[in-house]
Amino acid sequence: PIPVYFFANLLYWAFFAGITTVQYGLPSEMTENPTQRAQLVGVNQIAGAIGGTFLSVLNVYLFTIWGKDNWESYFNMALLYGIIGTAVLLLGFLSIQERPFDESTNVSDADVDANVIGDDNAGVAANAGSRLGFGRRLVSVVWNFLSVLKVKEFRNYLGLYLSEECFRTVRGTLNTYFVIFVLLLDPQTVSLATGVNLLFGIACVGFFMWLTARIGGPRAYRLGGFEVIFVFLAMFALAMNAGNLPTGTRAVLYIGLGLFMNFGITGVVNATQYTYTFIPDVDEIITSKRREGQYAAINSTIDDIFSSAETIVIGLVLEATGFVEGATSQPPQTVTALACLFAFAPIAICLIGIVFTYRLKLNRGNHELLLSEIARLRAGGSMDDATDETRALVESLTGMPYEQCWGHNNVINVARRG
């Protein structure tokens, strides 16, 4: 049974990775309209929050009626979720509408060695691409996976994304310890705050769907980020004065500050995901292809890598502070270290993300200009006819000379001398 269980889980996570990767690419694939992309990102956040809450409540209910000390309960729940999941996936498959596909954006044969075959012979290139050996295909896949890091605007986006992920992970991992050992509150306070924050967060998403579409991702990120920093400082002040406040006052202040915290976090997450939807457009001016899939894959992979690394690092740091796992209380120096880690580590990480927002150049006006240039080149326009303004914009977004864009590089094709 153990090998069967292992391979069943392996298959599940292999396919689940594909499903979670798709959600990163859908807003870019479905529309070019910035407002619609903001709405898609927001709906994704809201649906995730509602779905998570529903499943948590359903789990409690099912364990109540089926019991939690027998294997049949877990089997029945897995079967039920399998049926529900299949139905939802089928509904999504039938309901998703993509924008019209342009054959010239197809990336599948773009890695054929143009130096050997020639750029203009598309038919020969396609046939040659189908005859490429496994080794060449593998190199091509790895190169396409890593080549996204050559795009300047994507590297800037990663600064936002990794900062957002890191400070939220630190806060989430240390939150319970902070509440129990620093504020001296009971675990039920964490559960109450989580429930209240979730409902408030859903309302905040609706607000940021509107705001981010109007002012852009970088400015919305800064708004949420500075608000988060302010709340972390207030949390630290609460921690330093916890011994002088009644238990009820500490609980009310913690829950209230948590609401403000959730407002800022919602803005940061929404702005990050919204900013991501524009990255494939920058890539298109470089490669003349659409590569939402590559960007979604590397985004998902980086997420998994950093999530694992953060958990390990936080554990080591806690151990270094003298934290005693399973204890009902902690030494005074550990309590102080917990308060500092909870407040100042996320602040430092969030500031890094804010710095990267000033490096991002892709606002709504620049995006419209970029799309116009892509449409002009897609219609057969000459690169020689580009305006100075367009050249300067493309170079600021891509990090390479305008003349090396639109496929005149080795970003897709590792064998090409670009």
Side-chain angles (χ1 to χ4, degrees), residues 45 49-50 53 171-172 175 179 188-205 227 231 235 251-266 342:
Q45 284 183 272
I50 295 175
T53 304
R171 183 244 183 181
N175 188 51
V179 170
Q188 284 74 22
T189 304
V190 179
S191 300
L192 176 61
T194 301
V196 173
N197 287 340
L198 183 63
L199 295 175
F200 182 69
I202 292 174
C204 291
V205 172
E227 200 265 356
V231 176
M235 285 281 194
V252 171
L253 288 174
Y254 170 74
I255 294 174
L257 288 173
L259 292 177
F260 286 103
M261 173 83 73
N262 207 48
F263 175 83
I265 289 177
T266 300
F342 179 81

Side-chain angles (χ1 to χ4, degrees), residues 369 373 376 383-396 402-403:
L369 182 58
E373 178 65 3
R376 188 183 71 83
M383 296 183 69
D384 296 332
D385 296 334
T387 65
D388 292 339
E389 179 187 9
T390 300
R391 288 173 179 271
L393 171 64
V394 170
E395 291 176 357
S396 69
Y402 178 85
E403 291 74 19

Side-chain angles (χ1 to χ4, degrees), residues 280-318:
D281 298 327
V282 179
D283 183 82
E284 185 175 2
I285 197 66
I286 297 175
T287 63
S288 77
K289 307 296 179 183
R290 296 297 300 184
R291 296 200 299 166
E292 284 92 344
Q294 278 84 350
Y295 283 92
I298 195 169
N299 208 83
S300 180
T301 302
I302 290 175
D303 188 12
D304 292 337
I305 293 173
F306 272 79
S307 295
S308 301
E310 289 158 17
T311 302
I312 296 173
V313 170
I314 291 172
L316 293 174
V317 172
L318 283 175

Side-chain angles (χ1 to χ4, degrees), residues 60 105 149 239 258 279 317 322 327 366 385-386 388 401:
V60 173
T105 65
L149 296 174
I279 302 301
V317 172
N366 288 343
D385 296 334
D388 292 339

Side-chain angles (χ1 to χ4, degrees), residues 26 34-35 51-52 68 81 111 131 149-150 175 212 277 300 318 335 344 348 372 385:
L26 279 179
T35 301
K68 60 180 180 179
Y81 289 153
D111 57 358
R131 295 196 300 269
L149 296 174
K150 299 183 71 174
N175 188 51
T212 306
T277 65
S300 180
L318 283 175
V335 173
F344 296 115
S372 297
D385 296 334

Side-chain angles (χ1 to χ4, degrees), residues 130-412:
S130 64
R131 295 196 300 269
L132 288 178
F134 174 78
R136 173 63 185 277
R137 282 292 186 190
L138 182 60
V139 169
S140 173
V141 169
V142 174
W143 178 257
N144 272 269
F145 191 78
L146 297 177
S147 67
V148 298
L149 296 174
K150 299 183 71 174
V151 181
K152 180 181 178 181
E153 201 72 348
F154 180 68
R155 297 196 301 270
N156 291 332
Y157 155 78
L158 280 182
L160 271 66
Y161 177 71
L162 294 180
S163 296
E164 171 246 311
E165 284 290 309
C166 286
F167 92 72
R168 288 200 301 127
T169 299
V170 172
R171 183 244 183 181
T173 303
L174 298 179
N175 188 51
T176 301
Y177 301 140
F178 178 78
V179 170
I180 295 174
F181 298 119
V182 179
L183 298 183
L184 302 177
L185 298 173
D186 55 72
Q188 284 74 22
T189 304
V190 179
S191 300
L192 176 61
T194 301
V196 173
N197 287 340
L198 183 63
L199 295 175
F200 182 69
I202 292 174
C204 291
V205 172
F207 170 75
F208 274 102
M209 283 170 59
W210 167 80
L211 182 66
T212 306
R214 288 184 62 87
I215 68 175
R219 292 173 65 185
Y221 189 104
R222 290 195 289 271
L223 173 65
F226 283 122
E227 200 265 356
V228 162
I229 290 172
F230 171 79
V231 176
F232 272 119
L233 290 174
M235 285 281 194
F236 182 75
L238 174 62
M240 293 298 97
N241 294 279
N244 303 322
L245 297 172
T247 301
T249 302
R250 294 198 304 271
V252 171
L253 288 174
Y254 170 74
I255 294 174
L257 288 173
L259 292 177
F260 286 103
M261 173 83 73
N262 207 48
F263 175 83
I265 289 177
T266 300
V268 169
V269 173
N270 185 270
T272 302
Q273 294 183 1
Y274 176 77
T275 300
Y276 168 81
T277 65
F278 297 98
I279 302 301
D281 298 327
V282 179
D283 183 82
E284 185 175 2
I285 197 66
I286 297 175
T287 63
S288 77
K289 307 296 179 183
R290 296 297 300 184
R291 296 200 299 166
E292 284 92 344
Q294 278 84 350
Y295 283 92
I298 195 169
N299 208 83
S300 180
T301 302
I302 290 175
D303 188 12
D304 292 337
I305 293 173
F306 272 79
S307 295
S308 301
E310 289 158 17
T311 302
I312 296 173
V313 170
I314 291 172
L316 293 174
V317 172
L318 283 175
E319 185 178 344
T321 64
F323 184 83
V324 181
E325 188 71 38
T328 56
S329 63
Q330 301 294 335
Q333 69 273 14
T334 301
V335 173
T336 302
L338 278 173
C340 292
L341 281 173
F342 179 81
F344 296 115
I347 286 176
I349 298 169
C350 192
L351 284 173
I352 294 174
I354 290 173
V355 169
F356 273 96
T357 64
Y358 290 99
R359 294 172 55 88
L360 283 164
K361 306 298 182 184
L362 196 57
N363 55 40
R364 188 161 187 158
N366 288 343
H367 182 244
E368 292 177 357
L369 182 58
L370 177 68
L371 291 181
S372 297
E373 178 65 3
I374 290 173
R376 188 183 71 83
L377 295 175
R378 183 73 59 205
S382 172
M383 296 183 69
D384 296 332
D385 296 334
T387 65
D388 292 339
E389 179 187 9
T390 300
R391 288 173 179 271
L393 171 64
V394 170
E395 291 176 357
S396 69
L397 295 175
T398 63
M400 61 179 61
Y402 178 85
E403 291 74 19
Q404 293 181 15
C405 294
W406 202 244
H408 299 94
N409 51 67
N410 68 342
V411 171
I412 290 182

Side-chain angles (χ1 to χ4, degrees), residues 5 8-9 12 55 58-59 62-63 66-67 70-87:
Y5 181 77
N9 273 273
Y12 169 80
L55 289 179
L58 181 60
N59 283 341
L62 292 178
F63 278 130
W66 288 342
N70 57 83
W71 68 270
E72 290 95 341
S73 298
Y74 295 91
F75 175 80
N76 290 337
M77 290 174 67
L79 182 62
L80 175 63
Y81 289 153
I83 295 172
I84 294 175
T86 302

